[in-house]
Structures are given as structure tokens and as C-alpha cells.
Amino acid sequence: SGVALSNDSYQNWSREFDFLTQWVCVPKTPEDVVAVANWAAENFYCVRPMGAHHGWSPFTVGPLDQGSNIVLVDMMTHLKKVIAIKPEANGFPAHATVQTGLSMGDFLEALEKAPGGTGDIGFGLPHCTTLNPLSLGGVIAVGAHGTGAKIPGQEELPSGYGCISNRVLRFTAVAFNSTTKKYELKEFERSDPESSAFLTSLGRSLLVQVTLRVEPNYYMRCESIINLSKAQLFAKPTDEQPIPANSFH
């Protein structure tokens, strides 16, 4: 199919898995990913998406996989396009459509530069992971989350909080067609009954494009309180104060 293929080393972020050789292909288009999936099915290989290797669990490959018929699909070299970032219009919320190999850092930067949001800071996410190199597809696959939460007295976001998968409105996946017996690109709406299986798949699905709800960006203020003693911070609960003021309890 013309997709670049090499026998490379593979090491995860925590260095628990360090393989000298592993087949890795580098597709340039979503159609290339489909071609790889169909080739693998015909030749008794497994296909697994590969992002930034940032994990401890053997979702991509593990100790028992070395030397097995697995082809890793490098999603981050080419499949990282920002397709569209649009403000709210005609009852449809502000959203971004991107390829899943895009890193979180590049995604957030693109959102901030997009017109139609808040002044010169564009759009953002109310909760996201803190590590820029992670792939968006990987973040969705493992149900990664951020630290966003409702602010007392503020209006709840319509889309809620939780993991990044909560913000997915629609996506395109490599799916098996039981009629043709071939893999193909298929678009899913979030309302589709089958969609939930893809939104935290632990690396057992291939999403090539997603549309996520975004929010007008906003500034946050960090307040540092430095006049609390350790006795206050680590105060034990009492009958009078089950939750001591200014403590970690």
C-alpha cells in the first residue's frame, strides 16, 4: 500500500517496556490506516495505535507481545492536522475537528489562536491533561482527565467536566464492515449506541479524527495563602469540627 514500515525499538515512558525490535508503520492519511488494517487482517497481524508512549500499562505492547504479530501505527508523525475550529452557531456549540495524532500542546495552542473565542486567547478546554507531548487520541483512549471542576456560585458548563472523552461530539474510526468483510472509515455521532465503546477503548480501537466541544477561553487566578500553620493544615477532626477549617481533611 506504500505505507512506510520499519523495525524499530519501542520504549514506554516509564521504561518498563523496552523492546529492541517492533514493527512500526507510518501512515500519511486515514486511508493509509485503513489499508494497514486490511493488510493486517489478511496476514494474521494485529494493529495497534501508537502515540507518545506515555503510560505504564501494556495497552500498546507489553512483555508478552515481543516477537508477536503486532504492527504499531504511528499516529503522530503525519495524522496531526487541525481541520477546523468554529464558534457556536445555529444551535451547535463551539467545536474543534482535528486528527487524533495531534499533540495536546499543539491542540491547545491552535485553540488559543482561533478567532471567535475570547479576545486574543481564543478557545480552550475546562479540563485537560498537563503534558504537552501526549497525543489527543491517546488521551481519549485511556479516559485521561484534568483538574477542572465547578466553581461554587458559577454556572455549570453545559458539557460538564470529567475526562476529555466527555467532550467528543463525533468521531471517525476504522471500523469493520460485516457485509464487505473489510475495514473502512466510519463516522459516529456521540448519540450512536456503539460510540461509547470507542471513547475509552484502552488502545483497542483506531480513531483518526474527532470533533470536540470547546469553550471560550478564560483566565484563572492563582491565590497563594502562606500564613497557615502546620497545626491548622493537619488538624484532626473533632466532634465540634468534623472538617477543621483550612485543613486537608
Side-chain angles (χ1 to χ4, degrees):
S1 63
V3 178
L5 179 70
S6 60
N7 205 270
D8 294 335
S9 61
Y10 176 89
Q11 184 183 77
N12 73 329
W13 174 76
S14 55
R15 300 183 181 181
E16 290 165 298
F17 312 133
D18 192 351
F19 303 155
L20 294 177
T21 57
Q22 185 67 50
W23 289 112
V24 178
C25 68
V26 189
K28 293 183 177 180
T29 66
E31 289 74 19
D32 282 349
V33 181
V34 172
V36 170
N38 283 315
W39 176 89
E42 293 167 2
N43 291 275
F44 307 102
Y45 272 76
C46 293
V47 170
R48 294 179 186 167
M50 183 180 73
H53 309 186
H54 190 93
W56 294 268
S57 301
F59 293 144
T60 306
V61 287
L64 300 179
D65 293 325
Q66 189 164 11
S68 58
N69 286 6
I70 294 175
V71 176
L72 302 183
V73 182
D74 179 345
M75 301 294 290
M76 298 190 72
T77 298
H78 298 297
L79 298 173
K80 54 184 179 181
K81 293 179 181 177
V82 176
I83 296 167
I85 300 174
K86 297 183 178 181
E88 180 180 359
N90 301 320
F92 198 73
H95 60 279
T97 300
V98 300
Q99 292 183 324
T100 53
L102 185 68
S103 72
M104 289 301 297
D106 289 344
F107 181 38
L108 294 174
E109 184 177 352
L111 290 178
E112 290 177 357
K113 292 180 178 178
T118 302
D120 60 356
I121 59 172
F123 297 96
L125 301 173
H127 49 86
C128 63
T129 56
T130 59
L131 297 170
N132 287 345
L134 304 186
S135 72
L136 177 59
V139 166
I140 292 172
V142 300
H145 58 86
T147 56
K150 182 181 178 181
I151 301 172
Q154 298 293 318
E155 183 179 350
E156 178 75 70
L157 287 173
S159 56
Y161 297 92
C163 64
I164 299 297
S165 298
N166 289 4
R167 309 200 65 78
V168 175
L169 300 171
R170 64 170 63 103
F171 60 89
T172 302
V174 177
F176 187 72
N177 186 319
S178 58
T179 301
T180 63
K181 307 299 181 184
K182 294 284 187 179
Y183 285 95
E184 60 186 29
L185 295 175
K186 182 177 179 179
E187 186 171 295
F188 293 84
E189 297 291 332
R190 187 177 185 89
S191 58
D192 290 340
E194 298 172 309
S195 67
S196 59
F198 291 89
L199 294 179
T200 307
S201 67
L202 303 182
R204 292 303 182 266
S205 67
L206 267 166
L207 275 59
V208 296
Q209 181 175 301
V210 291
T211 297
L212 299 97
R213 181 169 187 155
V214 298
E215 306 292 340
N217 221 345
Y218 50 88
Y219 290 103
M220 297 185 69
R221 183 181 67 178
C222 178
E223 183 179 4
S224 298
I225 300 174
I226 59 174
N227 62 346
L228 297 176
S229 67
K230 64 180 180 180
Q232 289 175 285
L233 291 175
F234 301 105
K236 293 182 179 180
T238 64
D239 291 338
E240 292 76 21
Q241 279 193 312
I243 303 177
N246 298 321
S247 77
F248 285 120
H249 290 281

